[in-house]
């Protein structure tokens, strides 16, 4: 009566995928179609009424995307997932299920600059109000809770600083407040950290980064942990109340522990429209098959480069949680024992100008606004990804003017170090 | 039996062996979960019997409603209870009085009564609580994967093309025993709080 449990690498290759029923194709086919025929009128009505499993229209679901969804759900240890067009789209769809105009959510100050912008400006026009918590002062999250709080949002490993967040401590605050904890796990990937194991109720990703891994496709995903009681206290009417657009179905009652993922699909993706292209889903799936191998190499290289920079005469400071003595090293050891990721920042003794010079002198590192590529990347956050923040916000987000961010790729580490050496001395 | 987390093999064996299912609390209203669970299981080849005293004289997808389990008049393999937890004990008591006991008593998502379950188990009946047979069938066959749901199973065999009235293979490789660790945590939290 025992069921053997496959390991992470087996899931990364197999979960969600099965040889095609019609052709026997072993790789997941790209179902590049807008629509799917119904068997008959009753079948169509059952699908539209959420009474049967099946495909209608690629804006709502697609068989290639479904393989990606099940695979990421399996890797994160969730009950279900929903793939969308980008990480930003994932955040909009998640919060649309949770917040009404006038509601609040608490977000960590240390976030990707694009998320800070989205939360501060775009969401303001929806009447969703963001309050900020400081991951270095866990109590600040508790102090920000009000009767209007509907969710807490953090990054497991924060961009750009590479700092590791105490997920379990913030989860305890979320549970006390009776709200779900949303964790953006983009930079860690489930290979390094599985936030659901530490108390996350919802996990979001920009698939564009390490999961896809090759810098060729945008994508986002929402993973439902299946842990939150959406019907308690009537705080989340999108899930607990009868839905008029589906003849009065209550999503939580009907779908149980994967109700949140279903709500995101049938109320969020269906009506807001940020569908993922099946072709992108295929490329992302192919990337995920090698996620464990790539993350091992990313982390090994990042540590070697961080150690090199930490010992360099022109470097003022290296902020990499994988280095002993780093402020976040103990959190990294607890949450990410296999490695602290491949993203970190450092500052130069020569300040802002030295940082700008370094970026222009590098020959192997690419200067661009992405992370989690096979290629090593460099950027100056203060003038790019975090440029729309004021100086105080920049510093709080870990993007002070003298900071340079690296995303370490899977090249030979000796070549990365040689490139940095020549650029620092040039 | 650990009713917080069932092994896939336990659920699989039940769904692979039962042929007739009496659904207590089946609704003729086509937006109620009981209606579409009934329809799905009928389409997958189970011999479905709707039990609901409020609808005697009507039928559900061609199957006449009966008022009580005793009124079915023949043995059934499984009783699927679509009632709130508070309404479970009298149904289980009624089931235990049947001339031929059912092999399985199943309580729907959200429904659980440990005392009633213990009574049924003492009579040799298998019990499943707080689960939906439609969801479990869809999960073990991976049909539910169309909805992005984690089936927690793997297979390297060519998938069947599901058609009406077709039994799908539930015998895929399980990725984990019962629920995910996260759902176990949710169930535990619920018990800790109550």
């Amino acid at each position: 009566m025992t069921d053997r449990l496959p390991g992470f690498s087996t899931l990364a290759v197999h979960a969600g995928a099965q040889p095609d029923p019609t052709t026997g194709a072993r790789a997941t086919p790209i179902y590049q179609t807008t629509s799917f025929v119904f068997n008959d009128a009753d079948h169509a009505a059952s699908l539209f009424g959420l009474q049967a499993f099946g495909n209608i229209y690629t804006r709502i679901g697609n068989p290639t995307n479904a393989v990606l969804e099940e695979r990421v759900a399996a890797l994160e240890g969730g009950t279900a997932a929903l793939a969308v067009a980008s990480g930003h789209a994932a955040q909009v769809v998640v919060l649309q299920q949770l917040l009404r105009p006038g509601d609040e959510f608490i977000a960590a100050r240390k976030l990707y600059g694009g998320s800070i912008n989205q939360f501060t400006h775009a969401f303001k026009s929806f009447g969703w109000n963001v309050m900020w918590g400081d991951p270095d002062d866990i109590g600040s999250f508790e102090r920000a809770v009000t009767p209007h709080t509907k969710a807490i949002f953090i990054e497991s490993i924060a961009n750009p600083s590479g700092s590791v967040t105490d997920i379990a401590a913030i989860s305890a605050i979320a549970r006390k407040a009776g709200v779900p904890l949303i964790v953006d796990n983009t930079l860690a990937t489930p290979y390094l950290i599985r936030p659901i194991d530490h108390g996350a109720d919802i996990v979001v990703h920009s698939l564009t980064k390490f999961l896809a891994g090759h810098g060729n496709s945008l994508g986002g995903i929402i993973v439902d942990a299946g842990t939150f009681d959406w019907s308690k206290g009537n705080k989340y009417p999108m899930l607990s109340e009868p839905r008029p657009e589906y003849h009065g179905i209550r999503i939580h009652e009907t779908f149980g522990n994967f109700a949140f993922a279903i709500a995101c699909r049938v109320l969020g993706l269906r009506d807001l429209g940020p569908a993922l292209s099946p072709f992108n889903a295929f490329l992302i799936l192919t990337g995920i098959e090698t996620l464990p191998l790539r993350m091992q190499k990313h982390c090994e290289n990042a540590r070697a480069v961080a150690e090199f920079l930490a010992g360099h005469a022109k470097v003022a400071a290296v902020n990499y949680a994988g280095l002993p003595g780093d402020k976040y090293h103990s959190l990294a050891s607890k949450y990410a024992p296999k490695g602290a990721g491949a993203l970190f920042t450092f500052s130069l003794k020569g300040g802002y100008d030295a940082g700008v010079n370094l970026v222009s002198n590098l020959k192997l590192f690419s200067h661009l606004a992405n992370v989690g590529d096979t290629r090593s990347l460099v950027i100056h956050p203060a003038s790019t990804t975090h440029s729309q923040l004021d100086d105080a916000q920049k510093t709080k987000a870990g993007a002070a003017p003298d900071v340079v961010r690296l995303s370490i790729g899977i090249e030979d580490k000796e070549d990365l170090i040689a490139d940095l050496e020549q650029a620092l001395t040039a | 039996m650990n009713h917080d987390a069932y092994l896939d093999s336990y659920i699989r064996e039940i769904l692979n062996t039962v042929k007739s299912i009496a659904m207590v609390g089946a609704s003729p209203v086509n937006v109620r979960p009981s209606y579409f669970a009934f329809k799905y299981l009928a389409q997958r080849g189970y011999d479905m019997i709707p039990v609901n005293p409020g609808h005697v004289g009507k039928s559900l997808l061609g199957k006449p409603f009966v008022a009580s389990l005793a009124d079915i008049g023949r043995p059934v393999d499984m009783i699927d209870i679509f009632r709130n937890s508070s309404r479970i004990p009298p149904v289980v008591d009624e089931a235990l009085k049947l001339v031929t006991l059912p092999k399985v008593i199943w309580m729907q998502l959200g429904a659980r009564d440990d005392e009633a379950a213990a009574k049924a188990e003492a009579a040799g009946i298998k019990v499943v609580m707080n689960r939906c047979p439609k969801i479990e069938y869809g999960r073990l066959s991976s049909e539910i994967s169309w909805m992005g749901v984690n089936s927690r199973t793997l297979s390297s065999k060519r998938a069947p093309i599901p058609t009406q009235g077709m039994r799908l293979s539930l015998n895929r490789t399980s990725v984990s025993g019962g629920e995910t660790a996260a759902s176990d945590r949710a169930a535990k939290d619920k018990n800790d709080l109550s």
Side-chain angles (χ1 to χ4, degrees), chain A residues 1 18 51 70 175 257, chain B residues 7 30 134 145 151 179 189:
Chain A
M1 273 270 288
Q18 184 170 8
Q51 298 179 8
E70 184 171 3
R175 283 205 222 177
N257 69 2
Chain B
L7 288 173
N30 70 0
K134 176 189 174 189
S145 301
S151 70
E179 285 296 83
D189 284 355

Side-chain angles (χ1 to χ4, degrees), chain B residues 62-121:
Chain B
K63 311 275 184 179
F65 275 99
V66 296
S68 68
L69 292 173
D71 288 350
I72 295 170
R74 60 185 170 97
V76 289
D77 297 329
M78 176 165 128
I79 296 172
D80 181 14
I81 310 178
F82 249 100
R83 306 298 303 268
N84 294 333
S85 295
S86 62
R87 314 295 286 274
I88 296 291
V91 182
V92 171
D93 288 342
E94 199 189 335
L96 290 174
K97 285 186 199 129
L98 292 172
V99 181
T100 308
L101 292 179
K103 297 185 183 81
V104 179
I105 292 181
W106 188 302
M107 304 174 203
Q108 272 297 326
L109 261 187
R112 176 166 179 161
D113 187 311
D114 287 69
E115 217 172 286
K119 231 193 258 183
E121 284 173 332

Side-chain angles (χ1 to χ4, degrees), chain A residues 233-254:
Chain A
N234 199 24
K235 276 169 84 168
Y236 301 97
M238 293 283 270
L239 287 118
S240 65
E241 293 306 297
R243 292 309 308 175
E245 61 271 67
Y246 291 105
H247 310 294
I249 281 182
R250 294 170 196 264
I251 305 278
H252 185 209
E253 173 195 49
T254 306

Side-chain angles (χ1 to χ4, degrees), chain A residues 22-235:
Chain A
T22 307
T23 62
R26 179 64 269 216
T28 297
I30 304 167
Y31 290 94
Q32 192 71 27
T33 179
T34 57
S35 336
F36 303 84
V37 294
F38 306 117
N39 301 339
D40 51 40
D42 180 60
H43 179 229
S46 298
L47 287 173
F48 274 100
L50 304 181
Q51 298 179 8
F53 312 122
N55 298 295
I56 300 173
Y57 192 65
T58 287
R59 176 159 45 76
I60 306 167
N62 174 282
T64 309
N65 298 20
V67 175
L68 172 63
E69 289 160 351
E70 184 171 3
R71 184 159 308 167
V72 177
L75 293 175
E76 287 286 8
T79 53
L82 175 70
V84 293
S86 69
H88 260 33
Q91 291 170 182
V92 178
V93 169
V94 162
L95 291 177
Q96 186 219 4
Q97 311 318 312
L98 304 179
L99 272 71
R100 291 292 172 100
D103 283 342
E104 295 168 3
F105 69 108
I106 305 167
R109 255 180 221 295
K110 287 191 178 169
L111 290 187
Y112 163 50
S115 295
I116 295 176
N117 273 326
Q118 187 191 41
F119 294 176
T120 307
H121 303 295
F123 288 178
K124 200 173 176 183
S125 65
F126 301 164
W128 304 344
N129 300 313
V130 60
M131 319 292 270
W132 299 103
D134 180 355
D136 292 337
D137 171 16
I138 296 292
S140 65
F141 284 86
E142 191 152 21
R143 292 192 296 276
V145 172
T146 77
H148 302 291
T149 306
K150 290 296 173 70
I152 298 181
F153 185 102
I154 59 174
E155 291 179 357
S156 53
I157 295 181
N159 182 357
S161 60
S163 60
V164 179
T165 307
D166 192 345
I167 302 168
I170 297 175
S171 163
I173 291 167
R175 283 205 222 177
K176 200 173 152 197
V179 302
L181 174 64
I182 307 161
V183 178
D184 181 339
N185 198 33
T186 299
L187 296 187
T189 82
Y191 179 74
L192 297 178
I193 299 178
R194 299 214 316 173
I196 292 173
D197 294 345
H198 303 291
D201 299 296
I202 298 162
V203 175
V204 293
H205 281 277
S206 166
L207 296 168
T208 314
K209 312 302 186 309
F210 294 98
L211 277 164
H214 296 72
N216 58 23
S217 306
L218 289 186
I221 204 159
I222 300 156
V223 182
D224 185 351
T227 46
F228 198 82
D229 183 354
W230 303 106
S231 298
K232 196 175 170 185
N234 199 24
K235 276 169 84 168

